[in-house]
Amino acid sequence: MLSEASKPLIDASVPVLRAHGLAITQTFYRNMFADRPELTNLFNMGNQANGSQQQSLAAAVFAYAANHRTPDALGPVVNRIVHKHAAVGIKPSHYAIVGKHLLNGIREVLGEAATPELMAAWDEAYWVLAGELIAAETRLYVKTDSGPDHRQPVRVVERRQQGHDIVSFTLAPVGDGMLADFQPGQYVSVVVELSPGVFQQRQYSLSDVSNGRTWRISVKREPGDVERPQGAVSNWLHDNASEGTVLMVSQPFGDFAPDVDSDAPIALLSAGVGITPMISALNTLAQCNPQRRIVFGHAARAASHLAHVDDVVTAGGKLAHLSTYYFLESAEPATILGRDALPGYMDADIVLRDIGKDADFYLCGPLPFMQAQRATLQARGVAAHRIHREVFGPDLLDDLL
């Protein structure tokens, strides 16, 4: 717990971090990678290049400063970070490296404003948080019978095109072993060697029901543009992973787990590749809770971009109370599962009229999509605790800021 002497200094840092947080994290990453270039194999260098990782860390530091007196607010964020760290393979030894360069980044950016008292408070605050993360990550490694270096070989046994830019890969163990069970909404880290000695890893949601024999991931090709680089790992998988390819993959992690055992109505709302954890939830519900009231809503650019329609059809044949809504940004006429697609962006009001505000709502897709759906749901009286989201990529923690 943070000492009483340090608390007011951390409180006073809030406006400073709001103004200078991004500069601090940019300085932190630049200096750390210059000092420890081997860590580029651990971090997502695509998110470094487009700046989203720096923004996410700045948001996390600011959120901690703004909420350190309310640990209940920080709890879900800490849990989310713990699962991502475990998937990536963070070790306790990494915290000393990060702490050194983060504190030096604060000193470098703030200059004379970084007084000894302020730096002592942030040194204490960093290690309080680091201690919580290390302990939680250790417990998670034990629970999953894994560790930061654990990766297992799996073989691609099926590759299937899922719409215009998504490919699903069904993975099986190499040898006679079994694959770990997982909760719908969880993900695995996939490690690839992009060039000799240059490794990168990315997290992909598992997109089918847990069965102990196979995992399935669904990967969207990220083409890139003038403002952001193409997705290095997604493109590698699209171009190189075929049936028979062996990949190194982590255990399943992630805290976005739709409650499939509840009797409450549930809405699974997604856009783009955010459909993947929702398909896992839908298939699991079809298997274990087929009488539940479900709304499945999905938004895509065009009909050609729709993925996993066959999964929805199959699950629909087992579910007694499923409604489906597809929204197409292109506004092209299309009939999907016997219902006309709706034009434009997803309209949460349509979903609410069907399922009501006492349902549990799960959101996954681009951040603007989730922000828009959450804003509509809350404006219509849906309680905040009923709205859950999964963030692909760095989280800007807009619910805490």
Side-chain angles (χ1 to χ4, degrees):
M1 183 178 295
L2 197 60
S3 69
E4 291 301 320
S6 293
K7 287 179 180 179
L9 290 164
I10 299 301
D11 291 337
S13 301
V14 171
V16 176
L17 291 174
R18 186 186 293 276
H20 301 289
L22 182 56
I24 290 170
T25 56
Q26 289 171 335
T27 302
F28 154 71
Y29 280 117
R30 183 184 67 244
N31 292 345
M32 183 176 68
F33 290 141
D35 183 51
R36 302 295 294 264
E38 73 277 9
L39 292 181
T40 58
N41 285 340
L42 192 64
F43 285 80
N44 184 325
M45 299 311 291
N47 289 335
Q48 288 291 320
N50 65 29
S52 59
Q53 188 64 61
Q54 296 90 326
Q55 294 178 44
S56 178
L57 179 58
V61 174
F62 176 75
Y64 178 76
N67 295 276
H68 71 89
R69 294 180 184 271
T70 54
D72 288 346
L74 286 171
V77 175
V78 169
N79 195 47
R80 196 180 309 161
I81 292 171
V82 164
H83 277 267
K84 182 60 69 71
H85 281 186
V88 170
I90 296 295
K91 303 177 182 179
S93 59
H94 289 131
Y95 283 92
I97 301 169
V98 169
K100 168 188 170 183
H101 289 288
L102 181 60
L103 293 173
N104 285 343
I106 294 174
R107 288 191 189 93
E108 184 174 332
V109 172
L110 298 188
E112 293 182 358
T115 64
E117 294 79 13
L118 178 64
M119 295 311 303
W122 267 106
D123 182 71
E124 180 188 347
Y126 173 79
W127 282 108
V128 167
L129 179 58
E132 293 177 6
L133 292 171
I134 290 169
E137 287 155 18
T138 299
R139 291 192 296 269
L140 186 55
Y141 285 138
V142 171
K143 180 181 178 181
T144 56
D145 192 25
S146 63
D149 293 319
H150 177 76
R151 295 290 184 273
Q152 67 184 101
V154 296
R155 191 182 310 278
V156 177
V157 295
E158 183 182 45
R159 172 182 171 134
R160 179 176 295 183
Q161 192 73 35
Q162 300 282 352
H164 172 72
D165 54 2
I166 296 176
V167 170
S168 63
F169 300 93
T170 300
L171 312 173
V174 173
D176 298 326
M178 299 288 285
L179 294 177
D181 290 333
F182 61 89
Q183 298 297 315
Q186 291 193 305
Y187 51 78
V188 293
S189 279
V190 179
V191 184
V192 302
E193 189 172 16
L194 299 175
S195 59
V198 177
F199 295 87
Q200 283 281 274
Q201 58 182 312
R202 298 291 186 271
Q203 290 72 52
Y204 297 104
S205 291
L206 293 153
S207 60
D208 205 352
V209 65
S210 179
N211 59 37
R213 302 181 306 278
T214 60
W215 291 337
R216 185 177 69 179
I217 59 174
S218 302
V219 180
K220 178 185 176 184
R221 182 189 287 275
E222 299 290 351
D225 53 37
V226 295
E227 295 182 352
R228 59 188 175 90
Q230 68 177 10
V233 177
S234 71
N235 279 269
W236 189 96
L237 290 169
H238 272 249
D239 295 338
N240 297 282
S242 56
E243 293 183 9
T245 298
V246 174
L247 302 170
M248 298 301 292
V249 180
S250 77
Q251 292 292 303
F253 293 102
D255 66 338
F256 178 76
D259 184 355
V260 296
D261 296 320
S262 170
D263 292 328
I266 184 172
L268 306 172
L269 308 182
S270 62
V273 75
I275 196 173
T276 52
M278 304 310 186
I279 291 295
S280 179
L282 191 70
N283 287 350
T284 303
L285 286 162
Q287 184 179 89
C288 72
N289 200 352
Q291 296 300 313
R292 191 164 178 187
R293 178 76 183 91
I294 305 167
V295 165
F296 182 89
H298 181 64
R301 292 180 181 177
S304 62
H305 287 255
L306 293 173
H308 290 292
V309 175
D310 56 340
D311 280 278
V312 181
V313 171
T314 301
K318 303 174 183 177
L319 292 165
H321 307 289
L322 171 68
S323 298
T324 59
Y325 295 92
Y326 282 88
F327 299 80
L328 298 180
E329 185 180 342
S330 64
E332 63 189 282
T335 302
I336 308 163
L337 280 71
R339 185 189 292 265
D340 289 340
L342 298 166
Y345 298 118
M346 181 177 290
D347 183 352
D349 280 325
I350 294 174
V351 174
L352 276 168
R353 285 196 293 269
D354 187 323
I355 202 166
K357 67 179 183 179
D358 292 327
D360 291 318
F361 295 83
Y362 291 86
L363 314 176
C364 189
L367 196 56
F369 162 82
M370 293 192 292
Q371 290 170 331
Q373 304 313 314
R374 187 180 68 185
T376 298
L377 294 172
Q378 290 184 322
R380 303 298 185 267
V382 177
H385 73 272
R386 291 193 175 278
I387 305 172
H388 315 271
R389 67 175 190 170
E390 174 68 313
V391 178
F392 288 172
D395 190 353
L396 298 183
L397 306 175
D398 55 306
D399 47 350
L400 283 180
L401 304 181

